[in-house]
Amino acid sequence: MIKVLLFAQLRDELGKETISIEANGWSVAELKGKMKAEYQLGGLETVMTAVNEEFADDDTILSDGDTVAFIPPVSGG
Amino acid sequence: MIKVLLFAQLRDELGKETISIEANGWSVAELKGKMKAEYQLGGLETVMTAVNEEFADDDTILSDGDTVAFIPPVSGG
Amino acid sequence: MNFNLSKEPIVIQDVIDKVIKRNAGAVTTFIGTVREMTKGKKTLFLVYEAYEPMAIKKLEQIGAEIKERWPDAETAITHRVGKLDITDVAVVIAVSTPHRNDAYEANRYAIERIKEIVPIWKKEHWEDGETWVGNQLETVPYPTGKPKEGDIRD
Amino acid sequence: MNFNLSKEPIVIQDVIDKVIKRNAGAVTTFIGTVREMTKGKKTLFLVYEAYEPMAIKKLEQIGAEIKERWPDAETAITHRVGKLDITDVAVVIAVSTPHRNDAYEANRYAIERIKEIVPIWKKEHWEDGETWVGNQLETVPYPTGKPKEGDIRD
C-alpha cells in the first residue's frame, strides 16, 4: 500500500487528510491519474509531489510503504 | 566666543574635549587654520565640520554663541 | 535545532541567539508578520498548516544551501503554525556573517526559498470567507489549486 | 523616540516593537555585534563615543530620508555607546514595510547612511594597543585622522 497525504485545498476538496491506495510499481503520474479519476481531485497538474518527504517527478516509481504527499503551491513566509 | 568640540582622535591629540575661541565673523576654514597653527591639530583637512549640530562647509561664517564640532571620519554601525 | 516549526508565539531573540558568534559582526533578521490589508481586502486572521517533517527538512536544506554560497554564514529559521492574528509573527529568519552585505543577501535568499520549497500553506480568513493562498509569491489567492500565468514576484 | 543612543545593552525586541504595524507584513532588522577578529587582529573590547545630540538628529534624518524613498516604511534605530565586549550589540536597525523587498532595501540604506553621517566613533582595544577606527567603511584603522585613498566599501 501507498500512503497519500493531502494538504490545504486538496484536503478540503477531498474531505480527508490521508488515503491508502494499492499502487506498488505505479509512477507518480499514474497515481495522479487515479486520484483524478476516482476522487475527482482537481488541479493535480499544478501541484508538486513528494515521495518520502523529498520532491519527486512524475516518472518516479512508487513502492509499497512509500508516503506520497501532494504539495499545492506553498505560501509560507 | 565660539565653542569648539573635539572627538575621538582629535580630542586625544589635543588633550581636551572643548575649547573656546574668539572667532566671531571667521569662516570655518579660518578656524581650522587657527586650530592647526595654535594647537598643532593635524588632519583637519579630512574632518567634517558641524556648526550647531549641522554639517557645514569651509565657507560658513561663524557667530558668537555658535558651537563648532570637528567630526573625524565616523565609525558607528 | 536551528530550523523548526512552532505552535507557540515565536520569541525573536531566541532565534537570533542561535546565530550570534564571536566572529559574526552582522546579524540580519527577517520577521514576517500578519498584515491586515492585502489588495484592499481585510484579513481577520490566518491559519498556517505545514507538512511538518518535510517542512523542517526543507528549512534545513535552505540552511545548507546558504552555507554553500556563504560559508561563514550561520542561519536559523522558525516558522509558526496554527492560528495567527494581525501583527503576529509568522516567520523569523536570522543570519549572521562576518560582513554585513552577506547577511542581507543570505537572509533574502532564505525567504525567497521558503516561498518556493517549504511545504507550508496559509489560509486567509476574511470577513466574507476564507481561501487557501495558493501561489508562493503571495500575489494571488488561489482557491482552485491552479495558479494563473504571469504572476510576478512580490 | 524611534532614534536614540543607549548606554545600556540594547533590547532588540524593544526596537522591533516600535515598527510593528497592522499593515506592515515585513520587518527586517540589522544587528551589528562586536566581532573578535578583524583582519587577523584580535579585539578585546570596543568603546563607542558619540556627539550625542547631533547623532540623534542624524539618525532622525536617516529615518526621514527612508520615509521619503519608501513612504510606507517605519524605521527605528538604537545605537549603543560606551564599552562593549565581544558579541555585544552595537546597533539595531528595524524597518517595517508592507512588502519585504522594501524592508531589506530600506534597512541596508540605513546602515550605509549611519556609516556616512552619524557622528559616532569606535575605539578598538587590542592586546597590543588601541586605535580609533577612522574611516566609516571600517576597513582601515586610522590613527592619524587621515584616511588613505582607495579605501573600498566593506
Side-chain angles (χ1 to χ4, degrees), chain D residues 81-102:
Chain D
V81 290
K83 178 176 181 288
L84 279 78
D85 294 312
I86 307 303
T87 79
D88 280 357
V89 173
V91 64
V92 177
I93 302 165
V95 178
S96 70
T97 60
H99 299 286
R100 67 185 181 281
N101 283 355
D102 292 343

Side-chain angles (χ1 to χ4, degrees), chain A residues 5-9 11-12 42-43 45-48 50 52-55 67 69-77, chain C residues 48-49 51 53-54 57-58 79 91 111 114-123 132-136 142 145 147:
Chain A
L5 306 182
L6 297 149
F7 296 97
Q9 62 267 40
R11 187 201 49 224
D12 288 357
E45 58 280 1
T46 66
V47 306
M48 295 187 283
N52 301 328
E53 303 175 5
E54 274 303 334
F55 288 112
T67 298
F70 292 121
I71 313 278
V74 302
S75 51
Chain C
Y48 277 103
E49 166 182 320
Y51 179 16
M54 184 172 169
K57 275 191 188 172
K58 292 291 137 188
H79 202 296
V91 63
I111 184 69
I114 286 172
K115 289 173 182 289
E116 287 168 1
I117 66 165
V118 180
I120 297 177
W121 300 273
K122 172 164 80 173
K123 193 174 203 172
W132 288 102
V133 176
N135 76 330
Q136 71 274 41
Y142 177 52

Side-chain angles (χ1 to χ4, degrees), chain C:
Chain C
M1 288 253 304
N2 276 23
F3 303 94
N4 55 348
L5 302 176
S6 173
K7 292 181 176 62
E8 304 302 318
I10 301 171
V11 179
I12 296 168
Q13 184 67 51
D14 290 350
V15 184
I16 293 170
D17 286 344
K18 294 176 184 176
V19 304
I20 296 276
K21 297 195 299 186
R22 297 180 72 80
N23 286 317
V27 180
T28 53
T29 67
F30 176 83
I31 301 154
T33 60
V34 178
R35 192 174 54 204
E36 184 164 41
M37 300 303 292
T38 298
K39 301 199 182 279
K41 207 157 182 183
K42 188 173 178 177
T43 298
L44 299 180
F45 62 92
L46 297 181
V47 176
Y48 277 103
E49 166 182 320
Y51 179 16
E52 299 203 3
M54 184 172 169
I56 291 168
K57 275 191 188 172
K58 292 291 137 188
L59 292 175
E60 289 169 346
Q61 176 185 324
I62 293 168
E65 289 174 0
I66 287 174
K67 204 80 185 171
E68 202 171 300
R69 285 166 179 72
W70 295 276
D72 293 326
E74 207 65 50
T75 305
I77 306 174
T78 300
H79 202 296
R80 183 84 184 275
V81 291
K83 176 176 181 288
L84 279 77
D85 294 313
I86 306 303
T87 79
D88 280 357
V89 174
V91 63
V92 177
I93 303 166
V95 178
S96 70
T97 60
H99 300 285
R100 66 183 181 282
N101 283 354
D102 292 344
Y104 284 107
E105 282 168 22
N107 198 299
R108 200 162 185 162
Y109 179 85
I111 184 69
E112 298 300 335
R113 288 295 275 160
I114 286 172
K115 289 173 182 289
E116 287 168 1
I117 66 165
V118 180
I120 297 177
W121 300 273
K122 172 164 80 173
K123 193 174 203 172
E124 294 244 21
H125 292 254
W126 301 302
E127 284 166 321
D128 60 350
E130 59 188 48
T131 309
W132 288 102
V133 176
N135 76 330
Q136 71 274 41
L137 310 176
E138 287 193 82
T139 48
V140 181
Y142 177 52
T144 66
K146 189 166 184 176
K148 290 187 199 122
E149 303 209 359
D151 291 347
I152 51 164
R153 207 160 266 249
D154 188 15

Side-chain angles (χ1 to χ4, degrees), chain D:
Chain D
M1 286 255 304
N2 275 23
F3 304 94
N4 56 347
L5 302 176
S6 173
K7 292 181 176 61
E8 305 301 319
I10 301 170
V11 179
I12 296 167
Q13 183 68 50
D14 289 351
V15 184
I16 293 169
D17 286 343
K18 294 175 185 175
V19 304
I20 297 276
K21 296 195 299 185
R22 296 180 73 81
N23 284 317
V27 179
T28 54
T29 68
F30 176 83
I31 301 154
T33 61
V34 179
R35 192 173 55 204
E36 184 163 42
M37 301 302 294
T38 299
K39 302 200 180 278
K41 208 159 181 181
K42 189 173 178 178
T43 298
L44 299 180
F45 63 92
L46 296 181
V47 176
Y48 277 102
E49 166 182 320
Y51 178 15
E52 300 201 3
M54 183 172 168
I56 291 168
K57 274 190 189 174
K58 291 290 136 185
L59 292 174
E60 288 168 347
Q61 177 185 324
I62 292 168
E65 289 173 2
I66 288 174
K67 204 79 184 171
E68 202 171 300
R69 285 167 179 72
W70 295 274
D72 293 326
E74 206 63 52
T75 305
I77 305 174
T78 299
H79 201 297
R80 183 86 183 275
V81 290
K83 178 176 181 288
L84 279 78
D85 294 312
I86 307 303
T87 79
D88 280 357
V89 173
V91 64
V92 177
I93 302 165
V95 178
S96 70
T97 60
H99 299 286
R100 67 185 181 281
N101 283 355
D102 292 343
Y104 284 107
E105 282 169 22
N107 197 301
R108 200 163 186 162
Y109 178 85
I111 184 67
E112 298 299 335
R113 288 296 274 160
I114 287 173
K115 289 173 182 289
E116 287 168 1
I117 66 165
V118 180
I120 297 177
W121 300 273
K122 171 165 79 173
K123 193 175 203 172
E124 295 245 20
H125 291 253
W126 301 303
E127 284 166 322
D128 61 350
E130 57 189 49
T131 308
W132 288 101
V133 176
N135 77 329
Q136 70 274 42
L137 311 175
E138 288 194 82
T139 49
V140 181
Y142 176 54
T144 66
K146 188 166 183 176
K148 291 188 199 117
E149 302 208 359
D151 292 347
I152 51 164
R153 207 160 266 248
D154 188 17

